Amino acid sequence: MDVRERLASNMKKLRKARGWSQEVLADEAGLDRTYISGIERRVKNPTVTVVERIAKALKCSLGALLD
């Protein structure tokens, strides 16, 4: 599994565990919902800064998203 697949899978799992929609995560991270969708579908390649924003919104470490 490549890093984008791991990120997409972990992000979706953590988001759903909180009962959040993509829109809620996007609002919490200060991103657009379509961008969150693109990351989860592995069509967007986010920067480390964006991944950090998502991790902060999900209250997890960068490692939790990338491992």
Side-chain angles (χ1 to χ4, degrees):
M1 188 181 298
D2 76 0
V3 70
R4 286 190 308 166
E5 287 178 273
R6 288 193 309 268
L7 172 61
S9 176
N10 292 336
M11 192 171 107
K12 189 173 186 176
K13 179 178 63 178
L14 290 166
R15 175 178 63 77
K16 288 190 172 209
R18 285 161 180 73
W20 288 1
S21 65
Q22 290 178 342
E23 189 168 356
V24 172
L25 176 55
D27 287 343
E28 292 290 324
L31 300 166
D32 190 85
R33 187 210 51 85
T34 59
Y35 194 68
I36 295 294
S37 173
I39 296 169
E40 288 188 359
R41 290 180 295 120
R42 300 182 315 271
V43 297
K44 295 289 184 185
N45 192 15
T47 64
V48 173
T49 304
V50 169
V51 176
E52 180 183 43
R53 288 169 67 176
I54 293 167
K56 284 181 181 179
L58 291 169
K59 295 179 177 45
C60 69
S61 68
L62 283 170
L65 288 175
L66 300 174
D67 286 337

